[in-house]
Every structure is written in C-alpha cells, then in structure tokens.
Amino acid sequence: MLPPLWQDLEFLSPVSDARADDLAAWVAAGLVDGGTVLDVGCGWAELLLRVLEAAPRARGVGVDLDADRVAEGRSRASARGLGDRVDLVAGPGREVAPGPVEALLVLGSSQVWGPDVEEGLPLDYAAALRAMRGHVVPGARVLYAEAVWSAPPTPAAVAPLSGRDDEFLAPAALAALVADHGFSVRSVEEADLEEWDAFESGFVARQERWLAAHPADHPGAVEVAAAAHSQRTAYAEGYRGVLGFAFLRLVAV
Ligand SMILES: C[S@@+](CC[C@H](N)C(=O)[O-])C[C@H]1O[C@@H](n2cnc3c(N)ncnc32)[C@H](O)[C@@H]1O
C-alpha cells in the first residue's frame, strides 16, 4: 500500500551522502587490483554500487531477503552501467557464500546471523563476527555498521524499542568485541544527529505522502496516520540521541 522506502531514503541506515562516499572510497582503496566485495543485507545496494563506482576493477555480490529491494538495486546497477559487475541475489544472507572475498559490507544487517530483529533480543554479535571473518581473506577491508547505545539507555528510549537496555552495546564495547574476532579496528565513528533526523524523517515521509494523496475517510488512513505518529514520537520523545549507529572500518587479520 505504501510507496517503497527508497523513494525517500538513499540508504536504509542513518548515513549521509558525504559519509557514504567516504566509506565507499575507503573500501574501494583496498580493491585497486580488483577482487570481490560482498554486501550482506544490501537493501537496494546503494553503498555496494558506490564502492563499485570507486573501484572499477572490482566485482560485487549483494544479498537481501527483500526481493523488491534487490530488484531496485538491479535497476540502479543497470542505469549506472554496473550491471555486468554486480550480482544481486534475493534470499537469506546466511546461504550466500561466494568464497572468501576481498571486501565485505555489513550495514545494519548483522541480524542475518542471529535472531530476527522483530524478536527484540540482543544481537548475536559473536555469531555475526565469526561469520563475517569467515567470509573474507586476510587483509580484506570490512565495513561493519551496527546500532549502539550512544548514551546510557533510558526507560523512555528503550520503551519503543525492545524494552531492554541490553539490546545494544556502547561503541567501545562493540569495538573490543570485534577486535577479539579476527579484525583490526581502524576507526570507529558514529552517525550524527543530523543523519538520524534525516533518516527518521525519510522513514515517515512515505506515510505523509500517502496521507496527502488519499481522502481522510480512506479505510487505511487511521492506521497510516497512527504509524507515522508513533514512529515520530518514539524517536523524538524516546531514543533520539540514545540509540546510535556506529561505523567500524576493519581489516581482517
Ligand atoms: C537496516 S537494513 C540495511 C540495508 C542496507 N545495508 C543499508 O544500509 O541501506 C537491513 C537489511 O537487511 C536485510 N535482511 C534482514 N535479515 C536478512 C537475512 N536473513 N538475509 C538477508 N538480508 C536480510 C533486510 O531486508 C534489510 O534490507
């Protein structure tokens, strides 16, 4: 019923265009001689395509459970002349294993190797990090982005999330865990509030556009308005500034 998220969001993560280009350039710098970059939980593959644009000798493989997002990624790839250098696959990330690759992207998708996010359980970091390390050759550049607590979780912040304050880690604890799983941590940075505000606004923009395009007595109007209101309130009065998103630049050792 609602238009797809990619009409309002460049990424399904709180990341600005400028940061995405910088991250893509860093990954691409490890692929000057070619190689394969794998993106697990690629969404519509925007970051993977930017890496390929910055690394003309590399190939890409992206996988996502959501077939519509994958189809959008394929259409972006072909519009940008990248169709012959990227394979985008719809399916479970655990089952895609193109062999140890030279670069890996995992942005907001480590749940691929653990319980589903809807279950509201803490992520299985160890399982995800073991799987990630198993997917890459030594020396591979890995971009790992994960939800974190930017500030100590408050009751108001956790209430609209899973309700538990152990759902995420603080960035330093996450970095320490990563370092214990075969990666050298080259940098840790966090999405800023501007990126979060843009992400949250983009998330509800399709609901607002739908409401503007339909009469107030449309059978779906109450539900769509309630969903937009609840998302806005959860963020503004709950987790804004508490739920964070950390980007870790890693090299496999
Ligand atoms: C938060 S989004 C991030 C998307 C993309 N990495 C980005 O930053 O724009 C997480 C993505 O992981 C995908 N996903 C979740 N579980 C998955 C699984 N088991 N296998 C493959 N993809 C999965 C979702 O469909 C979603 O597109």
mmCIF file with all atom_site columns, all heavy atoms in Angstrom, residues 27 91 108 200 219 225:
data_model
loop_
_atom_site.group_PDB
_atom_site.id
_atom_site.type_symbol
_atom_site.label_atom_id
_atom_site.label_alt_id
_atom_site.label_comp_id
_atom_site.label_asym_id
_atom_site.label_entity_id
_atom_site.label_seq_id
_atom_site.pdbx_PDB_ins_code
_atom_site.Cartn_x
_atom_site.Cartn_y
_atom_site.Cartn_z
_atom_site.occupancy
_atom_site.B_iso_or_equiv
_atom_site.pdbx_formal_charge
_atom_site.auth_seq_id
_atom_site.auth_comp_id
_atom_site.auth_asym_id
_atom_site.auth_atom_id
_atom_site.pdbx_PDB_model_num
ATOM 1  N N   . VAL A 1 27  ? 36.678  1.560   1.304  1.00 0.00 ? 27  VAL A N   1
ATOM 2  C CA  . VAL A 1 27  ? 36.588  0.142   0.901  1.00 0.00 ? 27  VAL A CA  1
ATOM 3  C C   . VAL A 1 27  ? 37.232  -0.043  -0.468 1.00 0.00 ? 27  VAL A C   1
ATOM 4  O O   . VAL A 1 27  ? 38.022  -0.970  -0.693 1.00 0.00 ? 27  VAL A O   1
ATOM 5  C CB  . VAL A 1 27  ? 35.104  -0.332  0.874  1.00 0.00 ? 27  VAL A CB  1
ATOM 6  C CG1 . VAL A 1 27  ? 35.014  -1.764  0.347  1.00 0.00 ? 27  VAL A CG1 1
ATOM 7  C CG2 . VAL A 1 27  ? 34.488  -0.243  2.278  1.00 0.00 ? 27  VAL A CG2 1
ATOM 8  N N   . GLY A 1 91  ? 17.436  -13.416 -1.077 1.00 0.00 ? 91  GLY A N   1
ATOM 9  C CA  . GLY A 1 91  ? 17.439  -14.639 -0.273 1.00 0.00 ? 91  GLY A CA  1
ATOM 10 C C   . GLY A 1 91  ? 18.122  -14.400 1.052  1.00 0.00 ? 91  GLY A C   1
ATOM 11 O O   . GLY A 1 91  ? 18.567  -13.291 1.349  1.00 0.00 ? 91  GLY A O   1
ATOM 12 N N   . GLY A 1 108 ? 23.970  -2.528  9.316  1.00 0.00 ? 108 GLY A N   1
ATOM 13 C CA  . GLY A 1 108 ? 22.660  -2.680  9.942  1.00 0.00 ? 108 GLY A CA  1
ATOM 14 C C   . GLY A 1 108 ? 22.040  -4.029  9.666  1.00 0.00 ? 108 GLY A C   1
ATOM 15 O O   . GLY A 1 108 ? 20.806  -4.170  9.715  1.00 0.00 ? 108 GLY A O   1
ATOM 16 N N   . GLU A 1 200 ? 15.087  9.434   10.121 1.00 0.00 ? 200 GLU A N   1
ATOM 17 C CA  . GLU A 1 200 ? 13.754  9.263   10.724 1.00 0.00 ? 200 GLU A CA  1
ATOM 18 C C   . GLU A 1 200 ? 12.695  10.014  9.912  1.00 0.00 ? 200 GLU A C   1
ATOM 19 O O   . GLU A 1 200 ? 11.582  9.521   9.740  1.00 0.00 ? 200 GLU A O   1
ATOM 20 C CB  . GLU A 1 200 ? 13.777  9.742   12.179 1.00 0.00 ? 200 GLU A CB  1
ATOM 21 C CG  . GLU A 1 200 ? 14.589  8.837   13.103 1.00 0.00 ? 200 GLU A CG  1
ATOM 22 C CD  . GLU A 1 200 ? 13.868  7.527   13.444 1.00 0.00 ? 200 GLU A CD  1
ATOM 23 O OE1 . GLU A 1 200 ? 12.633  7.474   13.353 1.00 0.00 ? 200 GLU A OE1 1
ATOM 24 O OE2 . GLU A 1 200 ? 14.576  6.557   13.810 1.00 0.00 ? 200 GLU A OE2 1
ATOM 25 N N   . PRO A 1 219 ? -10.193 3.932   4.134  1.00 0.00 ? 219 PRO A N   1
ATOM 26 C CA  . PRO A 1 219 ? -10.138 2.894   5.193  1.00 0.00 ? 219 PRO A CA  1
ATOM 27 C C   . PRO A 1 219 ? -8.741  2.712   5.809  1.00 0.00 ? 219 PRO A C   1
ATOM 28 O O   . PRO A 1 219 ? -8.630  2.275   6.965  1.00 0.00 ? 219 PRO A O   1
ATOM 29 C CB  . PRO A 1 219 ? -10.580 1.608   4.476  1.00 0.00 ? 219 PRO A CB  1
ATOM 30 C CG  . PRO A 1 219 ? -11.052 2.010   3.121  1.00 0.00 ? 219 PRO A CG  1
ATOM 31 C CD  . PRO A 1 219 ? -10.779 3.459   2.887  1.00 0.00 ? 219 PRO A CD  1
ATOM 32 N N   . ALA A 1 225 ? -1.807  7.091   9.615  1.00 0.00 ? 225 ALA A N   1
ATOM 33 C CA  . ALA A 1 225 ? -1.527  8.266   10.449 1.00 0.00 ? 225 ALA A CA  1
ATOM 34 C C   . ALA A 1 225 ? -0.986  7.826   11.809 1.00 0.00 ? 225 ALA A C   1
ATOM 35 O O   . ALA A 1 225 ? -0.046  8.436   12.347 1.00 0.00 ? 225 ALA A O   1
ATOM 36 C CB  . ALA A 1 225 ? -2.797  9.101   10.622 1.00 0.00 ? 225 ALA A CB  1
#
